[in-house]
Amino acid sequence: MTDRELIDNVRAGDSQAFEQLVKRYESQVAATVIGMLGSCQEADDVGQEVFIRFYKAIHQFREEARLGTYLTRIAINLSLNELKRRKRRHLLFKRPEKVKPMMNPDDSIARNEKQEMVQEAIQKLEPKFRSVVVLRLIEGYSTEEAAKILKVPIGTVLSRLSRAQKKLKEMLTPFVQEEV
Amino acid sequence: MNERLRNLLCRSFDEELSEQEQRELEQALSFSSQLRQEQKQLTDMRQLIKKESVRSFQPFFAARVMHRIKNEMRESEDFIGSLVWAFRWIAVSGAVAILLLVGSHVFLEKNYSLAAVLGMPQPALEDTLELENPLLEETQ
């Protein structure tokens, strides 16, 4: 079934249709939220909140925007809010923020280490640089789409990408050379 | 390496260069192994980031979402239900009060006119005639 058909079914009261939508877009939302927050319990909570907000607003959802883009926009905004909350907690309690990775037991150890390194490197970026990396490099949005989602000019996206890549290159070059 | 060329290379990944810039970059790449290596490192890094991104939450994520939605709907129904219950009592009490008030007006006035029901003052006939002929006083 297409997204539109599933959404129409949800509006008619079919909760299983919504569960199908969640399964369909879980990976896209996960890539965005985990890219922004790291693999942690808060990421799971924020991921759930993305879909709950969509469910509550489903009657107002207009299909001009693709559903994936709509969900990504919510995911980015909620992730940025969570990062602000983290910063306030960090300032209040003077505790270093450590994001504990949630290991997937099915993956090999080597893959998990690489994932951890990449996640750590991205987590070291400031939120405004992290968001462009997530949208452009992880999700594959064009610079124009990323600018629309973040509501900033294209020039801003490009300059943030450029600075983010420079920082990431410093951190990830040893890994990149290892891959080669 | 020329910083300008490095910037041009970086920009080439995310924006469309002008024809002149494209030519300049291609020429620089053909002459500079360092720039080619930089290009390969950037390409590999971007692929690594994409490839190693985590694309799933913990297991049974969809089930957790549906469970939360059901709980929130139930809480909201409970809240609306208790509001309806409270307003029902308020509405009934208000209706009873209005009926008692109307009944007392009718009982006291022994009159079933709209004015009596609404508790409006009932002017005497002489007062009404005076009100209707204000000019009468002035000419007198």
Side-chain angles (χ1 to χ4, degrees):
Chain A
M1 288 178 101
T2 63
D3 285 352
R4 192 185 183 125
E5 284 166 345
L6 286 172
I7 289 169
D8 286 341
N9 286 353
V10 174
R11 285 170 177 161
D14 181 0
S15 62
Q16 283 188 347
F18 190 76
E19 192 168 353
Q20 282 188 53
L21 283 171
V22 173
K23 286 177 179 169
R24 190 176 287 186
Y25 285 98
E26 179 189 337
S27 65
Q28 185 169 343
V29 170
T32 303
V33 174
I34 293 172
M36 291 294 291
L37 303 179
S39 283
C40 55
Q41 186 55 49
E42 286 90 357
D44 197 274
D45 294 339
V46 168
Q48 289 181 40
E49 190 62 32
V50 169
F51 287 103
I52 287 166
R53 295 232 177 161
F54 170 50
Y55 183 80
K56 288 178 178 173
I58 200 159
H59 291 281
Q60 288 87 41
F61 174 69
R62 287 193 289 272
E63 282 99 52
E64 285 108 28
R66 282 180 302 139
L67 180 53
T69 308
Y70 178 80
L71 291 171
T72 298
R73 190 177 286 128
I74 301 176
I76 286 280
N77 288 336
L78 290 181
S79 300
L80 289 170
N81 290 346
E82 176 61 27
L83 287 170
K84 283 180 195 160
R85 265 198 290 275
R86 266 191 202 169
K87 195 175 172 183
R88 282 199 294 270
R89 279 202 300 269
H90 172 63
L91 289 171
L92 272 173
F93 298 110
K94 303 278 185 210
R95 239 190 350 240
E97 284 294 332
K98 267 204 167 179
V99 170
K100 285 184 191 166
M102 296 194 304
M103 309 279 272
N104 188 336
D106 293 334
D107 288 343
S108 69
I109 291 171
R111 186 179 166 85
N112 268 330
E113 273 178 5
K114 253 188 260 174
Q115 266 185 358
E116 266 188 57
M117 286 304 297
V118 170
Q119 272 192 42
E120 254 187 62
I122 295 173
Q123 291 304 301
K124 283 180 179 163
L125 300 174
E126 283 175 45
K128 60 181 180 182
F129 297 125
R130 215 182 293 179
S131 55
V132 294
V133 165
V134 166
L135 289 174
R136 179 86 183 107
L137 303 189
I138 293 178
E139 294 279 36
Y141 284 103
S142 67
T143 44
E144 291 83 7
E145 286 169 330
K148 276 188 192 155
I149 290 171
L150 294 170
K151 295 187 183 167
V152 296
I154 291 176
T156 305
V157 170
L158 290 169
S159 74
R160 286 179 185 175
L161 260 175
S162 172
R163 287 172 67 180
Q165 281 185 111
K166 279 190 184 123
K167 289 186 185 179
L168 286 169
K169 199 164 151 286
E170 283 165 26
M171 292 186 274
L172 294 174
T173 299
F175 254 96
V176 171
Q177 283 170 348
E178 220 176 84
E179 286 271 292
V180 172
Chain B
M1 196 198 310
N2 189 326
E3 194 59 34
R4 182 187 136 69
L5 285 173
R6 190 181 263 132
N7 283 336
L8 206 56
L9 172 66
C10 206
R11 282 174 52 212
S12 70
F13 284 92
D14 299 304
E15 60 179 295
E16 211 170 306
L17 301 178
S18 65
E19 275 186 39
Q20 189 184 347
E21 284 174 327
Q22 190 64 37
R23 266 198 307 271
E24 190 182 341
L25 180 62
E26 281 167 9
Q27 204 171 22
L29 283 166
S30 67
F31 285 120
S32 169
S33 63
Q34 200 181 356
L35 192 64
R36 286 197 300 275
Q37 193 188 7
E38 179 91 8
Q39 185 188 46
K40 189 171 184 327
Q41 279 176 353
L42 277 171
T43 306
D44 291 344
M45 183 194 76
R46 290 167 74 107
Q47 281 173 1
L48 179 70
I49 289 169
K50 192 175 176 78
K51 188 179 149 199
E52 297 302 333
S53 62
V54 177
R55 292 188 164 270
S56 60
F57 293 110
Q58 287 292 294
F60 309 114
F61 174 77
R64 288 200 296 286
V65 171
M66 298 312 294
H67 183 70
R68 250 185 86 175
I69 285 174
K70 281 188 184 120
N71 282 347
E72 290 203 11
M73 296 300 288
R74 201 180 306 128
E75 277 172 18
S76 132
E77 276 167 11
D78 286 348
F79 175 69
I80 289 168
S82 50
L83 269 183
V84 165
W85 182 87
F87 276 117
R88 194 178 290 158
W89 279 110
I90 292 166
V92 165
S93 309
V96 166
I98 288 168
L99 280 171
L100 282 172
L101 197 64
V102 163
S104 70
H105 285 153
V106 168
F107 178 75
L108 289 170
E109 297 291 329
K110 300 224 184 328
N111 188 343
Y112 292 96
S113 67
L114 183 62
V117 165
L118 294 176
M120 288 164 63
Q122 306 288 312
L125 184 62
E126 301 80 20
D127 296 332
T128 310
L129 285 171
E130 265 186 43
L131 281 170
E132 282 181 359
N133 292 296
L135 290 175
L136 197 66
E137 276 186 21
E138 284 179 23
T139 53
Q140 285 173 358

